[in-house]
Amino acid sequence: MAELKPVGRFAPTPSGRMHLGNVFAALMAWLSVRSRDGEMVLRMEDLDTQRTSPEYAEILRDDLSWLGLTYDRETPPQNQRSAVYDTYFDRLARQGLLYPCYCTRSQLHSVNAPHLSDGTYVYPGTCRNLTEAERAGFHRAPAWRVRVPECLWAVDDLVQGHSEWNLASDCGDMVVRRADGVYVYQLAVTVDDGEAGVTEVVRGMDLLSSAPRQMYLQSLFGFPHPDYAHVPMLLAPDGRRLSKRDKDLDLGQLRRRVSPERLIGTLAYCAGLIDRNEPVAARELAGEFRWDKLRRDSIFLDAAELI
Ligand code: GLU
């Protein structure tokens, strides 16, 4: 039987210019799909309407086009999809998996909630078994949490390898809708990837812990699990993580100084995909791409090499 064509996605948050880490993750997502003649989907992740804007979305499309990272279709932005997310929320409610949570931010960050290294915490289940009378005593809108089971989720990541996660001890019951009615990233991503038929999710290593959370929601919604590839973060030569704060390394600045081929050649070289640091177009790399060529540990990039 012929292999089904892969469907990948770019899922940028239009809250600023792409920085080098975003460009690298987008390049890897694109190469993985295009090397197998697959389809690429673009989706703007603009749930946070305070931080995101249609202007940045437009600049992102232009940046992708400048980089030569083409896509076949764009699905509706997340902030237009709350009616769709409602239907999935209702399904969880009908399955008896949701409960209202009245905890305040300061309660959640109290000593009772152990902080994890990534800044998140394990929800201790404070509101899990409130009675109707207790709920009625709170005079404010609740957030909604989905119960998570005590079981292991195995993530077989194409870059990071095998890992196992127990959501009950890793994060506790997850918020799926905030008190202000806005759906959270984990629910929106799961629904959007599932409905778009995405078969592989390629993104930065900082989102690895989201994979088991999304796999759990996929299983509740009846979506197949996609393949995952969480690519290493880019580090400066001194080991510091390159981030949005490095303003000189966002595309607004870089586009003035380097060609897309120079940028892509440098990224591909630092990542171990090519042997010499020379300009190359994304489409020229697609034929040769294989995940096992990628460096698995941190990728060091000396910005001076770009200038
Ligand atoms: N929107 C996220 C970001 O820009 C990516 C989420 C994902 O790839 O699942 O970092």
Side-chain angles (χ1 to χ4, degrees), residues 9-15 22 43-46 78 185 189 193 201-204 206-207 210 214 230 244:
R9 40 65 141 196
F10 300 126
T13 302
S15 59
N22 302 134
R43 170 180 74 241
M44 292 298 163
E45 302 216 314
D46 54 358
Q78 290 183 328
Y185 159 74
V189 158
D193 283 343
V201 168
V202 179
R203 57 191 174 195
D206 52 342
L207 286 169
S210 287
Q214 291 164 21
H230 288 87
K244 268 194 177 151

Side-chain angles (χ1 to χ4, degrees), residues 47 82 85-86 88-93 97-101 121 142-148 172-191 213-214 216-218 220-221:
L47 288 171
S82 60
Y85 304 144
D86 282 344
Y88 287 87
F89 180 84
D90 291 345
R91 272 162 68 174
L92 297 179
L97 289 167
L98 295 183
Y99 64 86
C101 171
Y121 53 85
W144 288 84
R145 289 186 185 267
V146 61
R147 293 169 199 272
V148 304
D173 297 338
M174 302 189 290
V175 171
V176 288
R177 198 172 78 186
R178 299 189 330 209
D180 61 4
V182 176
Y183 286 98
V184 306
Y185 159 74
Q186 305 292 2
L187 182 134
V189 158
T190 305
V191 169
R213 292 156 167 78
Q214 291 164 21
Y216 171 50
L217 293 175
Q218 286 151 12
L220 296 176
F221 296 147

Side-chain angles (χ1 to χ4, degrees), residues 87-237:
T87 63
Y88 287 87
F89 180 84
D90 291 345
R91 272 162 68 174
L92 297 179
R94 281 200 300 276
Q95 289 173 271
L97 289 167
L98 295 183
Y99 64 86
C101 171
Y102 298 90
C103 293
T104 59
R105 199 175 282 259
S106 59
Q107 277 172 301
L108 293 173
H109 288 85
S110 73
V111 281
N112 297 329
H115 289 252
L116 302 178
S117 56
D118 61 359
T120 58
Y121 53 85
V122 179
Y123 181 63
T126 320
C127 293
R128 197 177 228 235
N129 297 313
L130 293 181
T131 62
E132 279 309 320
E134 285 169 323
R135 285 175 187 163
F138 290 99
H139 299 286
R140 59 175 182 270
W144 288 84
R145 289 186 185 267
V146 61
R147 293 169 199 272
V148 304
E150 263 297 338
C151 72
L152 285 183
W153 293 91
V155 180
D156 284 298
D157 192 90
L158 291 167
V159 181
Q160 306 300 329
H162 181 83
S163 59
E164 289 180 359
W165 306 76
N166 181 347
L167 295 181
S169 53
D170 288 333
C171 65
D173 297 338
M174 302 189 290
V175 171
V176 288
R177 198 172 78 186
R178 299 189 330 209
D180 61 4
V182 176
Y183 286 98
V184 306
Y185 159 74
Q186 305 292 2
L187 182 134
V189 158
T190 305
V191 169
D192 291 347
D193 283 343
E195 289 201 345
V198 165
T199 64
E200 59 178 59
V201 168
V202 179
R203 57 191 174 195
M205 165 66 189
D206 52 342
L207 286 169
L208 179 63
S209 65
S210 287
R213 292 156 167 78
Q214 291 164 21
M215 288 172 74
Y216 171 50
L217 293 175
Q218 286 151 12
S219 72
L220 296 176
F221 296 147
F223 292 127
H225 300 311
D227 290 335
Y228 285 103
H230 288 87
V231 301
M233 306 317 274
L234 299 183
L235 304 179

